[in-house]
Amino acid sequence: MENQSNEAPVAAAAAAEVSSTTQPAEPTKRSLRVQTWKKIQEGKVGVGFNGIFNRIPAFVDADKAAALLIQEEEFKKAQHIKVNIDRALHDFKELSLLANKSVYLPSTRDSPALCLKVDVPADATDDQKKEALRVQDIQKFRSEIGLDTNLKLDLVVIGSVVVSRDGYRIGRGNGFADLDIGLLIELGVITPETTIVTIVHDVQVVDTLPVNLFQKYDTPVDIIVTPTEVIRVAKRLPRPSGVFWELLSERRLKILPVLQQLKEQLEKSGKKITLKEEDTDIEQHQNSRRRRGPLRRRFQRGNPGRTTSQTDNEQQGDNTQKRTPRRKGRFINRRRRTNKSEGDQSGVEVGAKSEDRKFDEGGAGERRPKKKNRPHRDFCVKLTNLTRDIRVKDLKTELRKRECNPLSITWKGHFGKCFLHFGNRNGAPSTQDDVDKVLKSLNDLSLTITTGGDSAPAAGAEEPPAETANAPLQTKTINVNVELLKFGAKKNAGGNTSAGEGGNANVNGEDGSAANVGEGGASRIESVDTTTV
């Protein structure tokens, strides 16, 4: 229950957050955690790329520490053992099951159970016992232990981030381990005869820790086991007396149904319980959903996704340093859109100015590297008379049947048209024979589509209306108009050029079959997102 304390105001706690790269004048729980995580990382004794920071770290030779613990007298006499689910404790859980001990695990957060017992058949093999620990389904190899249990634990094994030789322990910061211990003490499951043990690496053990950092709800340990030694605390430190309800918020009770259930039982028996009025609990993984996306965002400077806890802000004053806010980008590239009055030539000039502006702002004396060159487009075919229920998949299928392979497709189905871009992939310019071959393959182009039914629409198709969702299947054929557009040619003096909708150039030549488009129009067509066939 490390973050049950409400000693510091929320504003002061947020301002006093300690960065992982800043060491405060006086040590805090957060700074001690960060020091230990860095020692584990620099010493290369951690296990897993993401198994060190902001959690109970997994470490090498955890099996050796577990082997040392099972040789102790406390383990040999114990019959009921509760072990947390930290990865560093997995080897000890396996050895406990193999030694025919009754092993108990923490319950899930949405479960009203106090803990879960690992049930294995009496004649189970060693492999079956190990498999029982790997099962995630609580309905299999698990039985729930309720609040009305008479269970008495002999041994409790928990993980730690930092621990001192005199028994003080610091966890990962969310407080659930301390809250679980307090709950077990409240119900009498943990008694004065119960031994609390932690398994850590040698670098996690320090001689002393500041006593003023610890509160009445912090759990001390009796035995510290590392891969190389067993440390017995000379004098047992005071344990929590139970659950401190005045330090818990209503939201924390909703997260743990077992606490809400215990509160209702105590209130029925006549006990008056008062919760913390202001909710200042900060959960450990409050920003975990932000971590989706590119991996680089998780480790960049000023990343807001770093998790914090209530105890990270305890015992911190004005002497701590704030995290420097991340510097925003100085330049924002905004592409200027041309209007009809400016014409095609102005569009080319604006594009050139934009490139010059990027060159000047870079300040490096060299132009930025461009994207990978794609094959040059020599001419384009415009398809019209497309209905909204036609998918680009239907067009691609028909083009493959006709052995027509454009370089790319600019799909504008919501406007009833699309553009097929052609050119030689080897870089040579297209000849008139290539153009005639494409036009011949597109002669009498028509698309056959199936509409209706209750099948889900595919990608690229619009959602059908509710009244036609269950309509019977219908097949219809749509004739598509084909128009040739050439790129790279100079504008004819007698040509008629106009800017069409969507920024594409619609040019009608005098012969009605082919027309020439200026480079400005070509650039606007190519600026639309394309999908490769």
Side-chain angles (χ1 to χ4, degrees):
M1 227 167 16
E2 293 181 8
N3 62 340
Q4 289 183 358
S5 175
N6 189 23
E7 297 177 358
V10 178
E17 180 182 350
V18 180
S19 172
S20 60
T21 60
T22 303
Q23 174 64 32
E26 295 182 1
T28 63
K29 286 186 176 180
R30 175 67 189 179
S31 65
L32 292 171
R33 291 188 190 101
V34 173
Q35 285 181 11
T36 305
W37 288 326
K38 286 186 175 181
K39 284 164 56 178
I40 294 175
Q41 186 182 50
E42 294 170 357
K44 297 181 180 181
V45 295
V47 175
F49 179 73
N50 294 325
I52 299 177
F53 288 88
N54 294 322
R55 65 190 65 205
I56 301 296
F59 55 88
V60 297
D61 295 333
D63 54 339
K64 296 181 179 180
L68 286 180
L69 180 54
I70 65 173
Q71 301 298 327
E72 297 301 312
E73 196 67 25
E74 287 81 0
F75 175 82
K76 295 178 181 179
K77 293 181 179 179
Q79 182 57 38
H80 301 282
I81 302 175
K82 183 178 183 296
V83 189
N84 279 7
I85 58 175
D86 303 315
R87 184 177 178 182
L89 309 179
H90 183 75
D91 295 291
F92 176 74
K93 284 185 287 188
E94 285 188 349
L95 295 178
S96 300
L97 273 184
L98 297 179
N100 297 322
K101 306 290 185 180
S102 297
V103 178
Y104 300 85
L105 305 176
S107 62
T108 57
R109 291 190 180 180
D110 56 350
S111 172
L114 182 63
C115 58
L116 301 175
K117 181 181 179 182
V118 181
D119 291 328
V120 292
D123 56 347
T125 63
D126 291 349
D127 292 337
Q128 291 175 342
K129 291 179 179 180
K130 293 179 180 180
E131 182 65 26
L133 286 175
R134 302 187 184 98
V135 174
Q136 300 296 326
D137 187 6
I138 64 174
Q139 303 297 331
K140 189 176 182 181
F141 299 119
R142 303 286 189 273
S143 61
E144 295 184 346
I145 306 298
L147 297 178
D148 55 349
T149 181
N150 295 324
L151 173 66
K152 305 296 180 183
L153 293 175
D154 303 313
L155 193 65
V156 175
V157 182
I158 58 178
S160 304
V161 176
V162 191
V163 64
S164 66
R165 292 181 176 270
D166 49 2
Y168 288 103
R169 167 193 174 271
I170 297 178
R172 65 174 180 173
N174 60 359
F176 286 104
D178 293 324
L179 185 56
D180 184 46
I181 296 294
L183 180 61
L184 296 175
I185 294 176
E186 178 89 16
L187 298 174
V189 179
I190 291 182
T191 65
E193 289 75 25
T194 305
T195 303
I196 300 179
V197 184
T198 186
I199 297 179
V200 293
H201 196 272
D202 295 276
V203 300
Q204 298 175 251
V205 182
V206 296
D207 293 332
T208 58
L209 288 172
V211 180
N212 60 334
L213 296 181
F214 298 93
Q215 308 298 328
K216 58 183 179 180
Y217 47 78
D218 288 307
T219 301
V221 296
D222 303 321
I223 299 177
I224 305 167
V225 182
T226 72
T228 59
E229 62 177 332
V230 176
I231 305 171
R232 295 181 178 273
V233 176
K235 182 180 179 181
R236 174 181 286 186
L237 298 174
R239 295 179 178 177
S241 58
V243 178
F244 299 97
W245 300 99
E246 68 277 7
L247 302 179
L248 294 176
S249 62
E250 187 69 31
R251 184 178 59 88
R252 179 61 70 95
L253 265 63
K254 293 179 180 179
I255 296 176
L256 301 175
V258 63
L259 275 178
Q260 182 67 34
Q261 186 177 358
L262 176 60
K263 176 177 175 291
E264 294 174 357
Q265 289 185 5
L266 294 177
E267 289 178 339
K268 288 181 181 180
S269 63
K271 183 177 180 179
K272 185 178 180 180
I273 296 179
T274 303
L275 299 178
K276 180 170 55 177
E277 295 182 358
E278 183 180 1
D279 181 13
T280 58
D281 294 335
I282 303 176
E283 304 305 334
Q284 172 70 11
H285 293 291
Q286 59 179 354
N287 294 322
S288 59
R289 293 189 180 272
R290 292 185 181 180
R291 293 186 175 183
R292 296 181 180 179
L295 186 64
R296 61 181 179 271
R297 295 183 180 177
R298 296 176 56 180
F299 303 102
Q300 64 187 4
R301 189 185 71 174
N303 178 23
R306 186 184 66 83
T307 56
T308 59
S309 66
Q310 180 74 15
T311 53
D312 293 346
N313 304 317
E314 294 177 1
Q315 308 295 334
Q316 295 181 9
D318 297 335
N319 55 352
T320 57
Q321 301 181 9
K322 286 187 177 181
R323 178 189 297 270
T324 303
R326 186 182 178 189
R327 179 181 178 184
K328 296 183 178 179
R330 297 177 59 186
F331 304 105
I332 301 177
N333 294 327
R334 291 188 177 92
R335 183 173 181 179
R336 182 186 174 192
R337 300 185 64 179
T338 61
N339 51 36
K340 294 183 179 180
S341 62
E342 294 177 347
D344 292 337
Q345 185 64 28
S346 63
V348 176
E349 293 176 355
V350 170
K353 292 179 181 179
S354 176
E355 292 294 328
D356 294 338
R357 182 170 61 252
K358 292 179 182 178
F359 172 73
D360 295 337
E361 291 174 357
E366 298 180 359
R367 291 186 179 272
R368 297 180 181 178
K370 295 183 179 181
K371 296 182 179 179
K372 183 178 180 181
N373 293 331
R374 55 188 175 184
H376 180 69
R377 303 174 184 179
D378 297 325
F379 63 96
C380 170
V381 174
K382 177 182 178 181
L383 305 182
T384 56
N385 197 33
L386 301 178
T387 60
R388 286 178 174 254
D389 49 2
I390 294 179
R391 301 171 298 178
V392 68
K393 177 182 178 181
D394 301 329
L395 175 62
K396 291 181 179 180
T397 303
E398 182 65 23
L399 293 178
R400 293 191 188 100
K401 293 180 181 179
R402 294 172 175 262
E403 297 183 355
C404 179
N405 301 314
L407 294 177
S408 59
I409 298 177
T410 299
W411 181 256
K412 302 181 73 67
H414 53 290
F415 287 122
K417 61 185 178 180
C418 75
F419 298 89
L420 309 181
H421 303 278
F422 293 90
N424 287 332
R425 300 183 185 274
N426 55 9
S430 300
T431 63
Q432 186 62 34
D433 293 338
D434 296 331
V435 178
D436 295 339
K437 182 179 178 181
V438 170
L439 295 179
K440 183 178 179 180
S441 64
L442 297 177
N443 188 28
D444 297 330
L445 178 62
S446 62
L447 300 178
T448 302
I449 61 174
T450 302
T451 61
D454 53 357
S455 59
E462 296 185 356
E463 189 72 20
E467 58 271 11
T468 61
N470 297 324
L473 292 175
Q474 297 181 357
T475 302
K476 61 180 180 179
T477 302
I478 300 174
N479 296 323
V480 181
N481 298 331
V482 179
E483 180 182 357
L484 175 64
L485 304 177
K486 288 186 178 180
F487 288 166
K490 299 294 183 180
K491 290 191 299 182
N492 294 332
N496 180 21
T497 306
S498 62
E501 58 180 348
N504 295 317
N506 298 329
V507 184
N508 297 325
E510 295 178 355
D511 58 353
S513 60
N516 298 331
V517 182
E519 293 181 359
S523 64
R524 285 196 296 275
I525 292 179
E526 294 182 3
S527 67
V528 185
D529 292 338
T530 59
T531 173
T532 304
V533 179

